[in-house]
């Protein structure tokens, strides 16, 4: 993948005053902003930025809450602060159908590839089969949109595997509800699963953390029966809030002999949790998971719908409170894949992901938004009249009372730590072999792995020759 410079070139154009006289060019203003904020490339680690501007123009529909324009706002802010200069900047390519088929069913991909918005069959035929409808509509360029955001996550994961990056960012990704053969919750292709499958080719254990207000059900389901991936989801749960899954009692397959038992951890929360409670809970639970599981790499889904004032969310987090989760995970100095997710108030999504980009590169940003920010008017609609400038960190007004008592939160921590006790430490993994219960590994790769395994493991070869199979081979949950 070649590094892209074309994405930013169209932004560095000469600006003009109203009277027509020349003023500083935008790139000169960006350089001044870089100096003002002390933005430099991180020392001792590399951060990579993965995006494609062709994702941004897609449109779910006027009334639909998912707005890819939030990526346009995010990119404009990150550019205006000059943070792209501190990262390796990649223009990601679209994922191929073969790459997406490593997890998704081919008939589902064929459907996404051929269906058109005017297709009358989506209401009664295959559209219902693939869960196409109001939440997951058909729109112009749907397949391109899916393949582009999936390609960015795949590329970001590969940069981590190749040690070209230690933190890889794809804000267009993080679409955690998509299933193997159906769309769900505004998500069509599960780029997270595709990225994790790439990571499993190199890293023994992947810890997936989800701080979207909605349960990360698609990722949990995909890796339900393996101990190579631990999923930890912090989300609202009352049995009705979408997707209606993720109670604390759901911890993986109920049979303790299944490798995935106790490796799907859920932290169900009530309305209105705020920064302090969330930060303490997150650090205690994630710290315990890392100590017990000893992951080789972390994937962090940073859904912005857990912010206060989100159109669909019901939590009361502020931008710094949400960003504290990124900061905490970064402290462990493990390879880190950062992804987007939900978030339905675009101006706050852009602010949040800009702030969290600054956390990744270790920059301390001036909270006054750069005056040369493109689309600045979209970021000032709710500005506090008492603040004389549009700000990166506005006070977000809580909409819900905090229904999470200290006793309830302590109970969650106790339950999670009890589940970790059953894990018996980190699994021992022979890295020549990718387990058969992780779906989507190409057949030719599997054959090569088996050949390598036979050559290197005499005991395994003898078991196969006796046609005894291996433990868990025919396990049915």
């Amino acid at each position: 993948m070649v590094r892209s410079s074309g994405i930013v070139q169209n932004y560095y154009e000469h600006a003009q005053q109203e009277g027509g006289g020349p003023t500083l060019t935008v790139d000169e203003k960006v350089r001044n902003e870089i100096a003002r904020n002390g933005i430099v490339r991180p020392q001792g680690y590399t951060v990579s930025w993965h995006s494609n501007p062709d994702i941004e123009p897609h449109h779910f529909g006027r009334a639909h809450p998912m707005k890819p324009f939030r990526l346009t706002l995010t990119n404009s802010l990150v550019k205006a602060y000059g943070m792209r200069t501190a990262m390796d900047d990649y223009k990601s390519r679209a994922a191929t159908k073969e790459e997406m088929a490593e997890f998704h069913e081919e008939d589902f991909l064929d459907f996404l590839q051929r269906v058109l918005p005017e297709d009358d069959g989506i209401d009664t035929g295959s559209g219902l089969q693939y869960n196409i409808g109001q939440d997951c509509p058909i729109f112009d360029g749907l397949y391109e949109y899916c393949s582009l955001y999936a390609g960015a996550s795949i590329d970001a994961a590969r940069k981590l595997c190749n040690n070209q990056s230690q933190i890889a960012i794809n804000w267009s990704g993080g679409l955690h509800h998509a299933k193997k053969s159906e769309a769900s919750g505004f998500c069509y292709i599960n780029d997270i699963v595709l990225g994790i499958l790439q990571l499993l080719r190199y890293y023994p254990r992947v810890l997936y953390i989800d701080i979207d207000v909605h349960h990360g059900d698609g990722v949990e389901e995909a890796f339900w029966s393996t101990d190579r991936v631990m999923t930890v989801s912090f989300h609202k749960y009352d049995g009705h809030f979408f997707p209606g899954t993720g109670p604390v009692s759901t911890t993986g397959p109920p049979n303790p002999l299944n490798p995935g038992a106790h490796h799907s951890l859920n932290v169900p929360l009530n309305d209105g949790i705020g920064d302090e409670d969330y930060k303490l809970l997150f650090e205690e639970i994630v710290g315990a998971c890392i100590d017990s599981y000893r992951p080789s790499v972390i994937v962090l889904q940073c859904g912005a719908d857990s912010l206060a004032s989100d159109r669909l969310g019901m939590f009361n987090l502020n931008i710094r409170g949400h960003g504290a989760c990124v900061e905490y995970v970064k402290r462990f100095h493990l390879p880190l894949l950062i992804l987007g997710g939900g978030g339905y108030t675009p101006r706050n999504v852009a602010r949040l992901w800009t702030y969290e980009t600054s956390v990744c590169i270790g920059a301390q940003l001036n909270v006054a938004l750069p005056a040369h920010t493109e689309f600045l008017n979209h970021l000032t609609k709710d500005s506090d009249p008492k603040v004389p400038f549009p700000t990166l960190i506005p006070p977000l007004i809580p909409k819900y009372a905090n229904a999470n008592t200290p006793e309830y939160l302590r109970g969650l921590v106790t339950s999670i730590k009890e589940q970790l006790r059953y894990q018996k430490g980190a699994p021992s993994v022979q890295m020549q072999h990718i387990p058969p219960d992780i779906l989507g590994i190409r057949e030719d790769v599997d054959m090569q792995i088996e050949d390598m395994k036979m050559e290197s493991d005499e005991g395994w070869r003898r078991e196969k020759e006796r046609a005894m199979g291996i433990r868990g081979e025919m396990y049915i949950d």
Side-chain angles (χ1 to χ4, degrees):
M1 188 71 64
V2 294
R3 188 180 306 174
S4 168
S5 58
I7 299 178
V8 296
Q9 285 173 355
N10 63 352
Y11 186 70
Y12 292 163
E13 298 172 353
H14 289 272
Q16 298 287 324
Q17 294 177 341
E18 287 186 10
T23 185
L24 289 175
T25 61
V26 175
D27 58 343
E28 289 169 334
K29 292 179 180 179
V30 170
R31 283 197 292 270
N32 289 342
E33 200 67 37
I34 290 170
R36 185 178 299 116
N37 290 279
I39 291 172
V40 296
R41 290 182 69 86
Q43 298 297 310
Y45 67 98
T46 299
V47 179
S48 58
W49 174 271
H50 303 264
S51 65
N52 190 313
D54 293 338
I55 300 173
E56 300 167 17
H58 291 92
H59 192 53
F60 280 61
R62 185 173 181 179
H64 199 286
M66 176 62 94
K67 307 291 184 186
F69 179 66
R70 64 194 185 146
L71 299 171
T72 305
L73 295 180
T74 302
N75 288 334
S76 70
L77 261 181
V78 171
K79 292 173 188 175
Y81 275 111
M83 287 192 285
R84 297 279 279 270
T85 62
M87 300 180 280
D88 286 350
D89 188 358
Y90 295 96
K91 180 180 178 181
S92 55
R93 63 164 175 81
T96 65
K97 185 178 177 182
E98 290 73 22
E99 286 172 326
M100 292 187 285
E102 290 191 347
F103 173 63
H104 291 283
E105 294 284 0
E106 288 201 26
D107 58 352
F108 176 52
L109 296 174
D110 289 339
F111 172 79
L112 294 178
Q113 200 167 22
R114 71 173 183 268
V115 72
L116 298 173
E118 60 270 20
D119 191 334
D120 293 330
I122 65 171
D123 293 328
T124 56
S126 55
L128 291 178
Q129 176 185 347
Y130 301 122
N131 201 28
I132 298 298
Q134 186 175 2
D135 279 358
C136 299
I138 300 299
F139 55 84
D140 284 328
L142 171 60
Y143 185 80
E144 178 191 39
Y145 167 75
C146 295
S147 61
L148 284 171
Y149 76 71
S153 290
I154 291 170
D155 182 49
R158 286 173 176 164
K159 293 297 182 291
L160 296 176
C161 292
N162 295 335
N163 201 30
Q164 293 175 263
S165 177
Q166 284 69 54
I167 301 177
I169 302 171
N170 171 29
W171 291 125
S172 68
L175 302 187
H176 57 173
H177 295 306
K179 307 302 193 299
K180 186 175 178 64
S181 58
E182 67 176 41
S184 178
F186 316 158
C187 307
Y188 302 83
I189 296 297
N190 200 315
D191 64 287
I192 306 171
V193 172
L194 296 175
I196 290 175
L197 287 173
Q198 293 296 323
L199 295 173
L200 288 171
R201 298 179 185 276
Y202 183 78
Y203 294 103
R205 293 174 297 281
V206 178
L207 174 61
Y208 171 71
I209 306 169
D210 192 314
I211 56 174
D212 195 290
V213 76
H214 300 95
H215 178 226
D217 58 331
V219 183
E220 178 184 272
E221 181 180 307
F223 299 107
W224 184 253
S225 293
T226 180
D227 56 6
R228 293 281 306 279
V229 180
M230 177 193 283
T231 63
V232 185
S233 179
F234 297 76
H235 52 269
K236 173 178 166 56
Y237 174 77
D238 59 7
H240 305 287
F241 187 73
F242 184 86
T245 54
V248 71
S249 57
T250 297
T251 61
N255 190 318
L257 297 180
N258 189 305
H262 310 294
H263 283 76
S264 299
L265 303 183
N266 287 292
V267 187
L269 298 167
N270 301 315
D271 293 349
I273 191 166
D275 292 346
E276 185 176 353
D277 284 344
Y278 197 94
K279 181 176 183 291
L280 291 173
L281 185 73
F282 182 87
E283 292 185 1
E284 187 155 8
I285 288 176
V286 170
C289 289
I290 292 174
D291 287 344
S292 174
Y293 188 61
R294 301 200 305 275
S296 316
V297 60
I298 296 175
V299 178
L300 179 58
Q301 195 265 22
C302 300
D305 49 7
S306 43
L307 289 178
S309 301
D310 185 80
R311 180 176 172 182
L312 299 184
M314 303 182 78
F315 290 170
N316 291 337
L317 300 186
N318 279 281
I319 287 171
R320 284 197 175 99
H322 195 285
C325 299
V326 178
E327 192 169 3
Y328 180 73
V329 171
K330 182 188 169 191
R331 286 183 213 155
F332 289 90
H333 303 290
L334 290 168
L336 179 59
L337 176 57
I338 297 282
L339 301 171
Y344 307 103
T345 305
R347 57 187 176 273
N348 291 337
V349 175
R351 287 180 170 117
L352 174 68
W353 290 346
T354 298
Y355 176 75
E356 291 180 339
T357 300
S358 76
V359 170
C360 290
I361 66 172
Q364 300 290 327
L365 298 182
N366 188 330
V367 296
L369 297 183
H372 56 274
T373 303
E374 198 173 14
F375 307 110
L376 184 61
N377 60 310
H378 289 274
L379 296 161
T380 58
K381 290 181 178 179
D382 60 349
S383 293
D384 187 338
K386 299 176 184 177
V387 179
F389 52 81
T391 177
L392 181 66
I393 313 289
L396 301 180
I397 300 172
K399 295 193 297 183
Y400 300 93
N402 188 359
N404 299 275
T405 65
E407 293 75 19
Y408 177 72
L409 297 178
R410 283 196 296 269
L412 288 177
V413 172
T414 300
S415 296
I416 296 298
K417 289 185 175 180
E418 182 68 14
Q419 294 304 320
L420 291 174
R421 275 199 325 110
Y422 286 109
Q423 287 182 2
K424 301 177 183 177
S428 176
V429 178
Q430 296 186 25
M431 282 308 297
Q432 306 98 310
H433 180 53
I434 295 178
D437 57 332
I438 295 178
L439 302 174
I441 304 301
R442 291 191 185 117
E443 185 177 354
D444 58 340
V445 175
D446 277 347
M447 292 176 64
Q448 292 175 21
I449 291 168
E450 287 207 6
D451 290 340
M452 292 165 55
K453 184 80 175 179
M454 289 180 67
E455 292 175 3
S456 61
D457 192 332
E458 184 69 10
W460 185 90
R461 182 184 63 79
R462 288 174 179 169
E463 280 192 338
K464 292 293 284 185
E465 288 176 347
R466 291 197 302 267
M468 291 175 59
I470 55 176
R471 180 180 179 182
E473 183 182 354
M474 297 299 293
Y475 176 79
I476 298 175
D477 189 12

